[in-house]
């Protein structure tokens, strides 16, 4: 296993840095934690693009560094999965997505996951619309190159839009993910998000990925940080 991770420019979130969910998935995969099913990634700095980010282990702590700058820390998460966000069906997710706030105003319109300026087949184009109770829902047509990193990515922005992002931009600070099973390419899945609380400039969310038959495939909890 290589000790360096390079985030390709395709996987940006805010301009000039990596999408938090995708990068967290890359760091989780590269951390070397063995058979851990629940992993938590804390992003200390915006992940740079097209730069070698070196994996280092110091006193049992796994970190990823760009030169002298600590980018992320990775460790096992609480083994109990995050509470599921109750699912809706594909048709209801499609209907909610038509009212995605990012279609009107978006702080990061080129984001790999939720950006409206990404072409189909390039970005994931997950457009989480809000339900009357504040949950978000988005359809997720699983791409051919599905992998754990893309599951982490899909669990990212649907939580952020439950905060919501359009009123005050937030970036991902911490993401803990439990993957129960990978979706299959071409499946029509649904991703749900919910905000669970706030503390100053922090917001807390949960997200869940569901298979076409309604079975949960992955769950996550996240901490978001409001930008100044």
């Amino acid at each position: 296993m290589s000790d360096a991770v390079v985030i390709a420019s395709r996987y940006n979130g805010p301009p000039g840095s990596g999408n938090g969910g995708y990068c967290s998935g890359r760091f989780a995969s590269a951390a070397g934690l063995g058979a851990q099913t629940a992993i938590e990634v804390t992003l200390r700095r915006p992940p740079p693009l097209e730069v070698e980010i070196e994996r280092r282990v110091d006193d049992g702590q796994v970190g990823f560094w760009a030169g002298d700058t600590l980018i992320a820390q990775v460790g096992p998460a609480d083994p109990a999965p995050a509470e599921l966000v109750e699912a809706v069906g594909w048709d209801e997710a499609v209907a909610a997505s038509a009212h995605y706030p990012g279609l009107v105003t978006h702080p990061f319109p080129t984001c790999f996951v939720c950006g409206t300026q990404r072409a189909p087949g390039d970005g994931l184009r997950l457009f989480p619309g809000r339900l009357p109770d504040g949950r978000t829902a988005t359809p997720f047509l699983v791409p051919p190159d599905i992998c754990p990193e893309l599951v982490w990515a899909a669990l990212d922005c649907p939580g952020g839009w439950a905060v919501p992002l359009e009123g005050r931009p937030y970036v991902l600070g911490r993401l803990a993910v439990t993957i129960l099973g990978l979706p299959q390419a071409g499946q029509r899945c649904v991703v749900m998000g919910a905000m669970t609380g706030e503390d100053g400039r922090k917001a807390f969310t949960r997200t869940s990925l569901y298979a076409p038959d309604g079975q949960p495939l992955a769950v996550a909890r996240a901490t978001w940080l409001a930008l100044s």
Side-chain angles (χ1 to χ4, degrees):
M1 180 182 64
S2 171
D3 285 339
V5 171
V6 176
I7 306 299
S9 58
R10 174 191 179 197
Y11 301 105
N12 70 285
S17 63
N19 170 265
Y22 176 82
C23 294
S24 295
R26 287 290 304 277
F27 297 142
S29 295
L33 296 183
Q36 293 285 347
T37 57
I39 297 178
E40 182 173 87
V41 178
T42 301
L43 297 173
R44 299 299 184 187
R45 293 290 187 275
L49 301 170
E50 304 293 350
V51 170
E52 284 201 352
I53 305 173
E54 182 185 4
R55 173 183 174 271
R56 302 177 191 171
V57 181
D58 183 17
D59 199 22
Q61 298 291 314
V62 181
F64 288 85
W65 297 73
D68 294 331
T69 302
L70 177 63
I71 303 299
Q73 293 171 298
V74 183
D78 183 335
E83 183 181 350
L84 290 168
V85 182
E86 185 179 355
V88 299
W90 173 268
D91 290 343
E92 191 171 351
V94 169
S97 187
H99 302 285
Y100 171 47
L103 295 171
V104 177
T105 179
H106 199 309
F108 312 120
T110 63
C111 173
F112 169 72
V113 175
C114 68
T116 53
Q117 294 181 10
R118 299 301 288 260
D122 177 30
L124 293 184
R125 292 177 59 86
L126 299 188
F127 296 165
R130 294 191 193 106
L131 302 171
D133 63 4
R135 286 177 298 153
T136 62
T138 180
F140 177 32
L141 183 62
V142 180
D145 57 345
I146 188 63
C147 59
E149 291 89 340
L150 291 186
V151 170
W152 280 70
L155 292 167
D156 177 10
C157 300
W161 284 99
V163 173
L165 287 177
E166 75 274 21
R168 182 183 184 186
Y170 283 72
V171 293
L172 186 68
R174 178 174 292 136
L175 185 62
V177 169
T178 301
I179 295 179
L180 307 171
L182 276 181
Q184 297 177 17
Q187 281 187 321
R188 300 200 304 178
C189 294
V190 169
V191 187
M192 305 294 301
M195 181 176 171
T196 59
E198 291 181 280
D199 182 9
R201 60 187 290 259
K202 295 181 180 179
F204 307 100
T205 65
R206 293 181 284 111
T207 46
S208 303
L209 168 64
Y210 288 92
D213 63 0
Q215 291 299 307
L217 293 173
V219 294
R221 61 183 180 274
T223 301
W224 293 79
L225 304 175
L227 296 179
S228 301

